[in-house]
Amino acid sequence: SAVISQKPSRDICQRGTSLTIQCQVDSQVTMMFWYRQQPGQSLTLIATANQGSEATYESGFVIDKFPISRPNLTFSTLTVSNMSPEDSSIYLCSAKRDYNEQFFGPGTRLTVL
Amino acid sequence: SQQGEEDPQALSIQEGENATMNCSYKTSINNLQWYRQNSGRGLVHLILIRSNEREKHSGRLRVTLDTSKKSSSLLITASRAADTASYFCATDARGKLIFGQGTELSVKP
């Protein structure tokens, strides 16, 4: 298994600002992902964080709004840019090794006022 | 877009009873994974079943997979109040995990 930590665990932000969420895995993993969970909803995949190259975004998500970095095999960041109240969600980092179990961080609970 | 559909959306049972949740999906998969989430916290990985497997057990959990029907079920036996949570199935089709809508399970003491 992999232990995943995220920082911050929660934040309250003002409209128009940006927040960067950090994700750290305790061991090398093949793949890292970012998900969003809106209130009362299931998880939606935002993007796959690729090491050393641009992230691969899912339909409906764009790099300008959700820039992602992955400088090495154990660390990634997600920035939520120019935030609006609609961005209020839980953002979860996830990681796995090839076709095996995929583990999740504890999530970052974001509230935008 | 969501790959899986789960039913029921909500399930309320008494402690000691069994709980069954079902998941259907649309495309071919490599594996299917079940997760538990307590009150908006992080996801706990419960079990992974691969496309060439039909049944797996882990403690009080039993998962089945029917690839011909593109469906899976999660059975929790002898439920406890601590099992109260949301349960999600997620399918791994092209190296990424896509989630169903989830089942909200309430176990009353």
Side-chain angles (χ1 to χ4, degrees):
Chain A
S1 66
V3 176
I4 302 173
S5 59
Q6 285 184 233
K7 288 194 297 186
S9 59
R10 59 176 62 225
D11 207 341
I12 300 173
C13 300
Q14 295 297 319
R15 182 194 299 257
T17 63
S18 298
L19 175 71
T20 295
I21 303 167
Q22 297 180 6
C23 175
Q24 179 72 55
V25 188
D26 69 340
S27 56
Q28 292 186 354
V29 290
T30 308
M31 303 182 79
M32 294 182 74
F33 307 88
W34 287 97
Y35 287 79
R36 180 176 74 183
Q37 186 176 29
Q38 294 176 301
Q41 303 293 314
S42 183
L43 281 76
T44 300
L45 179 62
I46 297 172
T48 303
N50 300 309
Q51 193 227 339
S53 64
E54 192 171 288
T56 304
Y57 290 84
E58 297 299 307
S59 175
F61 297 97
V62 295
I63 187 171
D64 289 348
K65 177 67 176 176
F66 298 102
I68 288 171
S69 78
R70 187 180 173 192
N72 58 51
L73 290 173
T74 62
F75 185 79
S76 177
T77 65
L78 167 74
T79 299
V80 186
S81 302
N82 189 25
M83 288 183 285
S84 67
E86 292 72 34
D87 294 320
S88 296
S89 295
I90 300 173
Y91 292 86
L92 298 107
C93 174
S94 180
K96 72 171 184 178
R97 300 183 188 90
D98 298 323
Y99 294 107
N100 292 314
E101 291 88 348
Q102 187 163 327
F103 297 94
F104 285 79
T108 296
R109 186 180 293 271
L110 171 62
T111 302
V112 184
L113 302 178
Chain B
S1 62
Q2 300 298 334
Q3 158 81 304
E5 298 286 335
E6 292 182 64
D7 84 277
Q9 289 188 313
L11 179 61
S12 182
I13 59 175
Q14 294 294 132
E15 210 166 26
E17 295 180 338
N18 295 341
T20 299
M21 289 159 265
N22 302 296
C23 170
S24 60
Y25 55 92
K26 298 174 185 174
T27 65
S28 296
I29 61 172
N30 296 310
N31 64 66
L32 185 146
Q33 302 182 44
W34 285 90
Y35 292 85
R36 183 184 74 228
Q37 185 179 41
N38 293 83
S39 281
R41 297 183 183 176
L43 272 71
V44 174
H45 188 274
L46 296 177
I47 201 163
L48 178 153
I49 186 165
R50 301 188 189 280
S51 60
N52 61 352
E53 297 175 314
R54 292 296 166 259
E55 187 171 311
K56 284 189 84 169
H57 296 255
S58 177
R60 293 184 296 113
L61 306 180
R62 172 180 170 248
V63 169
T64 62
L65 179 64
D66 186 335
T67 53
S68 66
K69 295 181 180 178
K70 291 186 169 58
S71 67
S72 174
S73 67
L74 169 66
L75 168 67
I76 304 174
T77 59
S79 63
R80 306 166 182 167
D83 295 327
T84 295
S86 294
Y87 291 81
F88 295 94
C89 72
T91 51
D92 185 333
R94 289 176 288 120
K96 52 190 179 183
L97 216 53
I98 305 299
F99 280 76
Q101 296 296 336
T103 294
E104 198 169 316
L105 173 66
S106 175
V107 182
K108 300 186 188 310

